[in-house]
Each structure stands twice: as structure tokens, then as C-alpha cells.
Amino acid sequence: MNAPADFEFDEGTLRFTGELTLARIGDLSQRLAALSDAPQTVDLGKIERIDTVGAWLIHRIVRDHDAKVVGVDEDVAHLLEQLGQADKPLKIRPDATPPFIRVLREIGDGTIAAASSLYGLLGFFGATLIGLWGLITHPRRFRFNAIARQFEVVGVKALGIVGLMSFLIGIVIAQQGAVQLRQFGAEVFAINLIGRITLRELGVLMTAIMVAGRSGSAFAAQLGSMKLAEEIDAMRTIGVSPMEALILPRVISTIILMPLLGFYASVIAIIGGGIFCWIDLSIPPITFIQRLQEVVPLTDLWVGLLKGPVFGLIVAISGCYQGMQVEGNAEEVGLRTTASVVQAIFLVIVLDAVFAVFFSSIGWI
Amino acid sequence: MVQLNIAEGETIIHVAGLKNSFGDQLVHDNLDLDVKRGEILGVVGGSGTGKSVLMRSIIGLQLPDQGEIEVFGEPMIGREEYEAKQVRKRWGVLFQGGALFSTLTVAENVQVPIREYYPQIDAVLLDEIAAYKVAMTGLAPDAGPKYPSELSGGMRKRAGLARALALDPQLLFLDEPTAGLDPIGAAAFDELILSLRRTLGLTVFLITHDLDTLYAVCDRVAVLADHTVIAVGTIPELLALDHPWIQEYFNGPRGRVAAGAAKLKTGEAGK
Ligand SMILES: Nc1ncnc2c1ncn2[C@@H]1O[C@H](COP(=O)(O)OP(=O)(O)OP(=O)(O)O)[C@@H](O)[C@H]1O
Ligand SMILES: [Mg+2]
């Protein structure tokens, strides 16, 4: 019992023995391919068991050499006949293209995809504005609960990590600033550095990056999985607009929360820097605050607060847009989630540069 | 010469005193079930009575609260991963939703179990095996290089079946295989199961709501209700019982039509 599949070949007759099954087939297929002569008869009288894989090998010999099968009972004959019917050429995977052409094609596809993704994002932005207008004209369709829920997920639950990040950034700025300024004996200017850079730039920028990683990606993954499960199609057929039920609550809450989170981040960063100044530079908190008031113009606060909603909008719509683009399979959800974060961070940084130029040209230096 | 190994009455699946619950919700309580070698056991029951959960418990995806489960005479609860794997390669499973790997083509899906358990099989043979398995389940050859998202619901079912059959298993678990198939496809599926049982000596655990399939292929039918298997037997035996749900199931309007069709078919075969 349970002998591996084997065969002898003499005078045009292939005589098989053992178990012709997937588990015991070993390298039988290669050995059969290496036969010197074409067999005329296949004798299965001595085999112990056969499954579809064994039967396939027999069928192959019969087909290729027009051989005759002997020593089979009705069941094996039936199995062979079944395999004969199932013998249809089949492609395993879509056709592959030559590497050179594939590289060219991928570069082309990548360029088109990048351009069309920005174009699509613009279209999606338009659709969001129209949806928003719809809400303004029909305020009763406003989904207060969904927005409150997003407030919690996007805002309240982010307080811890955004706070920790900002606190550490504040300390690092103060420390690095102090080290450099000490060379001129101007350590006290570290306070200018902390106050201005956090309120103007880093508070909201780092927050936007954090929110893109935390919430933008979550939007893309949630909407993407919902699309895969046909949940969004189901919503549409029931008459619920995915724009109103899913996208606008996320967009609105992120727009409102981003300046708040950015302001919070700036304050925590200033606290971190202040603590560093107190401990390392022996500047007492009172002095620190007084000096902050003197050196940080109010416009810095406005710059930070004005950028917040714009960054929030970008993060939310690129998350939602990429999520809604998911089609096909689970891998796509991952790709789109990555794309949403990359796109959001890229656009946020580009716009931050634009804002820097804009604000300095209107004199808010 | 085929060894069907039909030792009469040998038990392939043995479930005793099974209890399953999700939180407060009790799904199974003190459930017993035996499946014999070479038989096709139909499992029926209303939606939500725990047919899929029973299957998941037997194949080890759901750890029961209580009870014992043996497959091929081997206890399945708390097994070492390696030992469990040896048992697992002797069965094939078709999930209710198909559960195809979405990043692989249909043909590659079929190859996954073979690659996993028999890496020595050469690439040419592997492709040929995938090709005939796909053809056997009635899919057109152009379905081979397609991804699951490009298939219709019924095609996904067939592809799932092709993957379940990949290892020529001795035991097949099927969760609603004919749901979503057209009647011609469903009848072809019945034929396929019967002929595989005949040639390979398959044992089949078949969950179904399809009365035609029940009449056409099942040797015995197990009825799930009230958290347990209330009866197991051939359809005439079940009909002789006086349980209201069973009566309604088989003697309801649909049940009678299916029974009539089954009778007609056997009558024709008799002529
Ligand atoms: N993961 C889970 N968590 C909680 N409850 C579950 C879970 N899976 C199943 N259930 C519950 O167990 C019960 C049985 O579910 P099961 O999927 O086995 O039903 P079924 O008999 O297969 O029904 P159908 O015929 O509709 O497929 C249901 O009431 C379901 O709500
Ligand atoms: Mg089910």
C-alpha cells in the first residue's frame, strides 16, 4: 500500500504501479516527458489508487501518443473521460509584455495617472462644493450626528498624539535654536524662534501631516472597503447620497478641526519650548510669556489659523476621493490609502509654500 | 481498481456535544452529528440557524465553547498547527461568499493549495492541473486569467469550487454551492458532485437551500433547528417524522415541486 507512483516501459507498453495521486506523483511528469519511445499501450492494471492528477497524466499520454488504455474498470474509465472533456487550453494569467515596453508603458501610465488623479481631485472638489451648496440650501439634510461622530474620531482622539508630537517639536526647536544662538550670545532669541515658527508654520503643518496619516488614510480605507462590498452602490439605490452621508461629514469636520488642532499644537509646542527655556536657559515662565507677547505679531496667529481650513479640506478630500476610486480588489484599498496620504501631504506642502509667498507679499512678515 | 475505501459506516466527521455562542446569543447547544465515508450529507435549516457556523467549527475556524470534533478520526480542537495542516490538506472548502484571493487570477487561485502543500509539482503540470480543474467546474477557458472582481457571482462560486477541488480532497465542505447559479449550472454542479463522488470516493458536507440539489445528490439530510440537529436521515425518513418545520420545508409549495421533479427524473431513468 501507499507506494509512490512509478512505471516500467517495455515494448511500447507503459505499466504503472503505485498510487497515481497528487501526493505520491513526485517527478513522474518529468520522467514521462523524457521517455525515448512513444508508448502504444498504457496498462493501469497494477495501480493502487488514482485521482484527477494521475488521470490527467494518463490522459496526456493518450492524447499525445494516441495510446490505448488497458486494465481499467468502469470508474477509472469514467474519470478519464471526464478529464478528456475538461481538456481545454487555459491562460493562467493575463499576457505579459516585454520588459522594455512594460517600463515605457509604466512611465506613461504613471504620468497619466498622476495628472488624471489631480484632475479627478479637482472634479471631486467641485462635486463636494455642489454637495455643500445643497446642504446650505436644504439645511434639514444636514447630518449632525455623522459630523459629531467625525469630530470625535478626527479631533478628540487625535489630541493625545498631536499634543505629544508638538510638545517634543517645541523642545527640539528651543534646544536647537539655543545651541546655535549661544554662539552669538543671543540665546534669548530662541523665544522668537519658538513663538513665530510654531504659530506660523509648524503647528498647522505638522498637524496636517499627522491628520493626513491618521484620518485621511482612514477615510480612504473606509470608503474603499465600503465600495468593494458594494455598500456605496446599495446606498445610492436606496436613495441615500454617499456625498451627504459619508463625504461631507468627513470634509466639514476636518475643515473645522484642522485650525483648532493646529492652534492646539502651536500652544503645546510653545509650552514645550517654554519648559526647555526654563530648565536649560533659566528663563522663568513669566519672562518667557512677556517676551512672546513682544516678539510674536498677531498676524502670525492669523496665518496659522487661515491655513488650517485649507489644509483640512485638502486632507479630507484627497482621502475621500482616493477611497471612492477603489475598484476591484483588496490590494487596491491599500494602494489608494497610500496614495491619499502621499497626495495630501504633497499638496499641503506645495500650498504651504504658496501661502508663504502670499503672506509675505501682503506684508504679514 | 479505484480504491473508494468505502468501509461501510466508517465515520469521517464526528461532532458531539457541540456548543457555540456569540456573547449572549446561543447558536448551537449539545449538537451531535456524524458523517460517514463516501456519503453526501445535506445540511438544511432556516437562515441564521448556524449552518455556516457549524461548518466553521468543524474546519477549525471557530473555537467552540464546548464539545468534541473529530475529522478522519483525529480530534481537531487544540491541535498543533503542523498536525492540523496534515488533516487540512485532505479536505477542500467552498465558502458561502467564494472567498477567492482577490489579487490572484482564477487559475492562480486554484494553484495556491497545490503550491502550498506540494511545491515539488513542476510549473507545466501545475498550469495543466489548474486548466482542467477550471474546465471541470464549468467555467469557460477565458475565465482563467481573470481576477475575481471581473467575475459574476455564479462564476465566483465555480472558481471557489475549483479551488476547493484543487488537492483532490477526500472530504469536501460546500456552503451553498448552487446559490447564485443558473438552473443549468446548478444541475451541472449536481452532476459534477455525483461523478466526483463516484470516481474519487468523496465525502461531502453540503449546506444548501436548494431543494433540487437535496433530492438529486444527498444520501442523507441533517436538519438544524433549535440550536441542534433535530434529525438526520434520508428524505423519506425525514418526511415520516412529524416535525412541523420539516413538514413545511419539504411539503411546502417549493418542496413539492422539487419532489415531483425528482420523481419524474428517477421514473425516466427507470424506463
Ligand atoms: N462572527 C459572528 N459574530 C456574531 N454572531 C455571529 C457571527 N457569525 C454568525 N453569527 C450568528 O450566528 C448565527 C448563525 O449564523 P450562520 O452564519 O451559521 O447562519 P446560517 O445557518 O449559515 O444562515 P444562512 O442560511 O443565511 O447562511 C446567526 O444568528 C448569526 O447572527
Ligand atoms: Mg450560511
Side-chain angles (χ1 to χ4, degrees), chain B residues 28-253:
Chain B
H28 298 133
D29 193 18
N30 208 5
L31 181 151
D32 301 322
L33 183 66
D34 281 335
V35 184
K36 305 287 182 195
R37 186 183 282 279
E39 80 171 337
I40 300 181
L41 179 85
V43 177
V44 301
S47 287
T49 45
K51 304 181 292 297
S52 300
V53 173
L54 175 61
M55 184 181 101
R56 290 173 63 86
S57 318
I58 297 174
I59 59 183
L61 294 176
Q62 160 92 33
L63 188 65
D65 302 347
Q66 261 174 38
E68 53 184 88
I69 294 171
E70 283 175 17
V71 183
F72 300 117
E74 313 234 8
M76 292 307 295
I77 295 174
R79 285 307 282 270
E80 292 271 330
E81 181 55 21
Y82 175 77
E83 292 169 340
K85 221 172 152 176
Q86 297 311 308
V87 181
R88 262 185 236 143
K89 71 178 175 188
R90 297 168 66 186
W91 73 45
V93 182
L94 169 64
F95 289 92
Q96 194 163 5
L100 294 168
F101 303 124
S102 61
T103 53
L104 301 179
T105 65
V106 168
E108 286 170 338
N109 260 284
V110 177
Q111 293 175 343
V112 170
I114 309 178
R115 278 182 204 277
E116 176 66 25
Y117 289 110
Y118 302 106
Q120 72 274 20
I121 300 288
D122 64 293
V124 179
L125 184 58
L126 198 61
D127 287 356
E128 288 175 353
I129 294 177
Y132 79 72
K133 297 273 179 194
V134 168
M136 265 180 151
T137 49
L139 279 171
D142 63 3
K146 283 192 175 151
Y147 287 91
S149 56
E150 299 164 345
L151 301 181
S152 74
M155 287 162 85
R156 256 175 247 172
K157 272 273 153 73
R158 288 165 195 254
L161 180 67
R163 190 180 67 187
L165 289 173
L167 296 175
D168 275 327
Q170 291 156 284
L171 172 59
L172 199 55
F173 292 92
L174 304 172
D175 197 347
E176 301 195 16
T178 51
L181 291 192
D182 58 282
I184 301 174
F189 173 85
D190 295 347
E191 287 294 313
L192 176 67
I193 292 297
L194 283 174
S195 90
L196 285 174
R197 194 255 300 256
R198 182 172 144 203
T199 47
L200 302 176
L202 270 181
T203 309
V204 184
F205 181 96
L206 172 74
I207 299 175
T208 188
H209 291 301
D210 185 337
L211 285 151
D212 294 313
T213 301
L214 278 183
Y215 277 104
V217 307
C218 292
D219 301 315
R220 291 194 304 156
V221 175
V223 183
L224 245 74
D226 310 326
H227 312 305
T228 184
V229 174
I230 53 169
V232 195
T234 60
I235 296 177
E237 280 169 10
L238 291 179
L239 280 171
L241 292 176
D242 208 19
H243 191 281
W245 192 85
I246 299 178
Q247 288 299 331
E248 177 147 14
Y249 190 87
F250 288 104
N251 281 332

Side-chain angles (χ1 to χ4, degrees), chain A residues 94-316:
Chain A
D95 287 327
T97 38
F100 177 67
I101 300 196
R102 210 178 62 220
V103 170
L104 281 186
R105 181 178 298 164
E106 272 174 15
I107 294 174
D109 283 351
T111 315
I112 293 175
S116 71
S117 152
L118 280 182
Y119 179 73
L121 190 69
L122 200 65
F124 192 77
F125 175 55
T128 314
L129 287 186
I130 294 173
L132 215 53
W133 179 248
L135 271 196
I136 293 169
T137 48
H138 301 90
R140 249 193 276 142
R141 296 219 298 257
F142 195 76
R143 291 175 185 257
F144 187 76
N145 285 341
I147 295 186
R149 165 109 189 92
Q150 292 302 325
F151 258 73
E152 185 185 339
V153 184
V154 177
V156 179
K157 295 211 167 141
L159 286 179
I161 185 71
V162 169
L164 179 65
M165 175 189 74
S166 310
F167 188 76
L168 294 176
I169 287 179
I171 291 178
V172 170
I173 294 171
Q175 193 259 341
Q176 290 296 319
V179 167
Q180 296 303 318
L181 293 168
R182 189 171 290 151
Q183 299 172 17
F184 312 103
E187 287 144 311
V188 75
F189 282 99
I191 300 173
N192 304 35
L193 195 62
I194 299 163
R196 299 209 60 182
I197 206 168
T198 51
L199 278 172
R200 234 184 132 90
E201 290 291 337
L202 284 187
V204 69
L205 186 65
M206 296 306 289
T207 306
I209 291 174
M210 184 57 90
V211 172
R214 247 189 112 256
S215 305
S217 61
F219 296 167
Q222 286 158 358
L223 297 184
S225 329
M226 290 177 80
K227 263 208 91 178
L228 278 194
E230 300 182 80
E231 275 179 64
I232 294 193
D233 294 339
M235 276 183 143
R236 282 212 180 92
T237 38
I238 294 170
V240 179
S241 142
M243 178 55 85
E244 279 175 19
L246 300 173
I247 296 166
L248 284 179
R250 288 175 167 78
V251 173
I252 292 174
S253 57
T254 317
I255 291 179
I256 297 176
L257 282 169
M258 191 70 84
L260 299 181
L261 278 175
F263 178 70
Y264 161 79
S266 308
V267 170
I268 300 279
I270 288 173
I271 292 176
I275 289 178
F276 179 85
C277 289
W278 190 12
I279 294 173
D280 199 64
L281 309 178
S282 315
I283 300 173
I286 292 293
T287 323
F288 182 80
I289 292 170
Q290 273 172 351
R291 178 132 184 107
L292 268 186
Q293 277 178 332
E294 287 162 20
V295 301
V296 179
L298 199 59
T299 50
D300 279 4
L301 177 68
W302 292 125
V303 169
L305 287 181
L306 283 175
K307 286 199 279 194
V310 180
F311 290 177
L313 178 76
I314 289 173
V315 167

